[in-house]
Amino acid sequence: MRWSHAFIPTLRDDPADAEAISHKLLLRGGFARQLMAGVYSLLPLGQRVRLKIIDIVRREMNEIGAQEFLLPSMHPREVWEQSGRWNAVGPEMFRFQDRRGADVALGMTHEEIFTHVATEMRSYKQLPQVFYQFQAKFRDEARPKSGLLRVREFTMKDSYSFDIDEKGLDASFDRHFEAYRKIFRRIGFEAIAVEASSGMMGGNQSIEFMLASDAGEDWIASCEGCGYAGNVEKATSKLPTVEDEPGLAAPEKFPTPGVRTIEDLENFEGGAPGINQIKTLVYRVDDKDVLLLLRGCDTLSEQKLLDSVEAEEIRPATADEIRAALGASPGSLGAVGVDLFVIADEALQGRRNMTTGANEDDHHLRGVDTARDIDVKAWLDLREVQDGEPCPMCEKALAVFKTIEVGHIFKLGTKYSEAMDAKVLDENGKARPVVMGSYGIGIERNLAAIVEAHHDDSGIVWPLNVAPFEVVVTVVKPKDVACAEAGERLYDALQQGGIDVLIDDRDERPGVKFKDADLVGIPYRLTVGPKGLADGVVELRTRRTGESRDLAIDRAAETVIEAVLDERR
RNA sequence: CGGGCCGUGGCGCAGCUUGGUAGCGCGCUUGACUGGGGGUCAAGAGGUCGCGAGUUCGAAUCUCGCCGGCCCGACCA
């Protein structure tokens, strides 16, 4: 490709409405342009990177025996009704009606459609099967953000495994796990595998692959000691046991005028530190009032609650609902002597001499013993893990930090196969629903994630495997015939050698070309200029390190081809 | 969906308070000089000031409505 005829609209200034680094650099480098909120056009450079990522993913999927499909974007309502998700999903699914008035959805994921296809399987002898595709996914996100990191239309590699039993699923899942590890390594980063919540996908186990980045929006807890890692929606820690004072024979009510928050009560004369308080939250769980108890110093993880109560919908109760249920306002709530369903966090187990609200405005109780004074119906892990808490496995300190979710794999079980009647006969001639897994990688999100992980002040620094071009031949002075010809010869030789090479033959000042090459992030730059040619050399510069060295002109192509081929993985 | 900010040539911005000629930098075109890290000079092209109503002799500027974008939060199979 010739730069003089390529569509690479680079920008000098950061676009005003870009915040994330990858967003700024992908716009400035001419990789992508926004069409509307959460919808982007990929320009030629962006598409080149996208195709390279796809190629890597495809090869690893084929490697584990997966077969490539292409399923439609438009899905009839009926299929989603079968799985129960037509109603379960909500406004995140784009829906419309065709000319006959039939409901149609734009696919946000393809469990239903692949399962529909899989109903043609008849025998356990056909299993296992792994199907996959690269397909546009449409999700009407409430808030698209950060450029390509969170969008409403994107390409996903989604694959689905079909096995006769759980053991088979485990094997398919493990193969995907390993394939994903290889994929992320090849595209240029170490993803951290974490335990995750399955959310609305259903199923009983899921693992997310996370890239540490401030541009991300998922917090994970990770242990350097033993490698334990979990999304904070799932992660646990091993809290030290608290030895409480024996306390009182019975709870004692005391006045706390004006105290509304945990912090107020900590600072109140006669109050208690957060760790010795019981925080009482009222939630509506499928239209039922439930009391949730946590230590004053802890934060509720709604996802943990949702995952463990198997409810359709949970939400905090409104102030009015709370008053109706408990007769007091938030800030003075407690569970002592209350008849509602009470769920307590495990960290409260065995605690005594605690302080909590008295269900009377401006009054609290002290000397509360969770076992003696509160009728706890269920002890659950409800709290969000905090930075520095001991790892549940090895007790070293956990680090909690922000990440980008670059892949997610699920064990689905038989949720979809049962709902959609995807069954095969087992060796005894008995019909059994196939056991499924599903596995996803968002291609453009990974593209942006690579930029988040690989950039510097001058621009993007693409890892060679995903770079839009591997080498740029920068002709310093195109009007100088010798210079231009030398550049062309190198360009030809590199092309012959199978290298993705771009020749910068624009009549621009050298500085402009250097800046553009850096911004766009091409791993190697061969600079051909009059100065070097006078000495019979060209300069090879490595984008990542900024190092450069002179190569004899007649050996240059060969050297570069060798280096590039060597670096490809 | 709640809160905040913002829509003026391709990009970044000023002008709006106090209504009256649309302006600056970059980029773009042509020419000259230049040529190893975003050059200099000269001459140009390019704008329904997000859209629609209203007020006014006159609206980028004031009023109302709508649309769009970004950020924070809620949400996120």
Side-chain angles (χ1 to χ4, degrees):
Chain A
M1 187 75 224
R2 294 175 177 283
W3 204 314
S4 60
H5 291 85
F7 188 70
I8 307 175
T10 56
L11 304 171
R12 284 203 186 191
D13 300 312
D14 283 337
D17 49 15
E19 190 83 8
I21 291 165
S22 61
H23 190 192
K24 289 180 186 172
L25 290 177
L26 289 170
L27 292 178
R28 281 190 55 205
F31 291 81
R33 289 293 184 263
Q34 184 177 43
L35 182 62
M36 57 175 166
V39 179
Y40 286 80
S41 304
L42 285 189
L43 276 34
L45 287 185
Q47 169 67 343
R48 291 185 75 97
V49 177
R50 173 177 174 274
L51 289 175
K52 289 201 174 177
I53 296 170
I54 285 177
D55 190 54
I56 287 170
V57 176
R58 175 177 283 131
R59 273 197 262 174
E60 294 299 338
M61 293 312 295
N62 291 344
E63 192 67 28
I64 62 170
Q67 302 160 78
E68 186 164 352
F69 284 59
L70 181 59
L71 269 39
S73 289
M74 290 193 289
H75 302 175
R77 171 178 184 156
E78 290 69 27
V79 193
W80 284 78
E81 291 275 13
Q82 275 187 292
S83 69
R85 291 162 110 193
W86 179 263
N87 292 320
V89 169
E92 208 177 331
M93 185 151 71
F94 284 99
R95 302 165 208 243
F96 62 95
Q97 297 187 331
D98 68 13
R99 63 201 300 163
R100 300 186 328 258
D103 287 316
V104 181
L106 292 181
M108 59 193 318
T109 177
H110 281 72
E111 278 77 17
E112 280 80 359
I113 317 303
F114 266 110
T115 308
H116 176 258
V117 169
T119 56
E120 282 197 47
M121 293 191 294
R122 290 286 171 261
S123 162
Y124 75 96
K125 291 178 188 167
Q126 293 171 287
L127 302 180
Q129 291 280 339
V130 180
F131 299 166
Y132 79 102
Q133 64 173 344
F134 294 92
Q135 233 289 9
K137 297 286 185 274
F138 299 88
R139 300 180 181 185
D140 197 358
E141 294 279 352
R143 184 147 99 84
K145 56 181 284 199
S146 306
L148 291 181
L149 282 174
R150 187 176 168 96
V151 294
R152 299 196 294 167
E153 174 181 347
F154 62 98
T155 314
M156 176 182 265
K157 183 290 295 175
D158 47 326
S159 48
Y160 304 83
S161 63
F162 304 89
D163 284 277
I164 188 64
D165 55 19
E166 292 289 337
K167 210 176 120 211
L169 170 60
D170 290 347
S172 292
F173 190 84
D174 290 346
R175 273 195 289 277
H176 271 89
F177 183 90
E178 285 310 320
Y180 274 40
R181 284 229 105 101
K182 286 187 198 162
I183 287 167
F184 295 125
R185 204 168 296 142
R186 287 183 61 194
I187 69 178
F189 45 73
E190 286 295 327
I192 306 164
V194 307
E195 285 184 17
S197 163
S198 298
M200 268 186 73
M201 292 294 276
N204 47 29
Q205 193 195 345
S206 85
I207 291 178
E208 287 171 324
F209 291 84
M210 313 300 272
L211 173 69
S213 165
D214 284 339
E217 42 190 346
D218 286 294
W219 294 85
I220 71 164
S222 161
C223 173
E224 269 192 28
C226 67
Y228 167 83
N231 193 303
V232 289
E233 292 175 348
K234 195 86 181 176
T236 59
S237 60
K238 188 162 192 168
L239 292 176
T241 24
V242 181
E243 288 301 331
D244 291 312
E245 303 288 318
L248 311 167
E252 171 190 283
K253 184 156 81 179
F254 64 106
T256 51
V259 170
R260 289 288 172 275
T261 65
I262 299 291
E263 206 188 338
D264 289 345
L265 192 54
E266 285 189 324
N267 298 325
F268 184 78
E269 179 74 32
I275 196 170
N276 291 335
Q277 293 185 39
I278 303 173
K279 182 191 284 188
T280 308
L281 304 170
V282 187
Y283 262 69
R284 297 285 282 194
V285 177
D286 287 347
D287 295 332
K288 197 174 133 196
D289 283 321
V290 172
L291 290 194
L292 306 175
L293 309 185
L294 292 130
R295 302 186 306 178
C297 54
D298 287 337
T299 305
L300 169 72
S301 163
E302 284 198 4
Q303 191 64 49
K304 283 185 176 179
L305 175 66
L306 189 59
D307 286 346
S308 46
V309 298
E310 288 182 11
E312 288 284 312
E313 199 193 345
I314 61 167
R315 62 168 177 84
T318 64
D320 288 344
E321 288 166 343
I322 290 171
R323 191 176 302 280
L326 293 175
S329 302
S332 304
L333 306 179
V336 176
V338 170
D339 199 21
L340 294 172
F341 195 88
V342 175
I343 303 175
D345 182 71
E346 287 163 350
L348 285 170
Q349 223 148 12
R351 296 296 304 277
R352 294 177 300 187
N353 205 22
M354 304 291 281
T355 301
T356 188
N359 288 330
E360 180 182 335
D361 286 357
D362 295 325
H363 287 79
H364 280 77
L365 298 175
R366 61 165 71 100
V368 174
D369 180 322
T370 56
R372 181 191 66 195
D373 302 322
I374 300 176
D375 183 17
V376 176
K377 295 285 199 308
W379 294 94
L380 296 173
D381 172 30
L382 294 177
R383 62 185 296 278
E384 217 161 69
V385 167
Q386 287 170 35
D387 192 68
E389 288 176 2
C391 170
M393 314 299 282
C394 72
E395 303 191 23
K396 281 187 80 165
L398 289 170
V400 174
F401 51 89
K402 230 197 247 182
T403 58
I404 300 168
E405 177 189 342
V406 291
H408 200 161
I409 61 180
F410 300 86
K411 288 185 182 175
L412 296 175
T414 56
K415 170 175 172 170
Y416 298 92
S417 52
E418 277 183 42
M420 305 188 62
D421 212 29
K423 292 177 180 158
V424 297
L425 296 179
D426 67 12
E427 57 277 311
N428 302 314
K430 198 176 156 232
R432 288 167 63 166
V434 295
V435 183
M436 293 174 55
S438 90
Y439 316 87
I441 291 180
I443 302 300
E444 293 85 2
R445 176 181 284 182
N446 271 270
L447 186 154
I450 295 166
V451 178
E452 293 289 342
H454 299 286
H455 65 268
D456 60 20
D457 291 344
S458 303
I460 304 173
V461 186
W462 292 109
L464 186 96
N465 282 342
V466 293
F469 291 96
E470 293 164 315
V471 179
V472 55
V473 176
T474 300
V475 181
V476 172
K477 197 173 176 183
K479 283 181 177 162
D480 177 296
V481 176
C483 191
E485 280 178 358
E488 293 293 336
R489 275 197 300 276
L490 276 172
Y491 175 58
D492 286 344
L494 290 171
Q495 274 192 318
Q496 292 298 316
I499 304 300
D500 276 333
V501 56
L502 177 67
I503 182 166
D504 194 347
D505 55 344
R506 293 175 297 170
D507 183 20
E508 289 287 352
R509 298 185 60 90
V512 172
K513 301 196 213 190
F514 296 153
K515 289 285 186 191
D516 271 347
D518 285 351
L519 174 62
V520 159
I522 300 169
Y524 292 105
R525 189 183 82 207
L526 263 180
T527 310
V528 183
K531 280 188 193 170
L533 289 182
D535 298 331
V537 298
V538 293
E539 181 199 70
L540 176 64
R541 184 180 163 98
T542 305
R543 175 69 180 86
R544 188 170 52 80
T545 61
E547 287 166 2
S548 53
R549 61 187 167 122
D550 287 340
L551 301 177
I553 182 83
D554 51 338
R555 296 266 309 155
E558 196 182 333
T559 308
V560 171
I561 291 166
E562 211 168 281
V564 169
L565 295 184
D566 189 54
E567 195 175 328
R568 282 187 196 163
R569 285 172 288 164

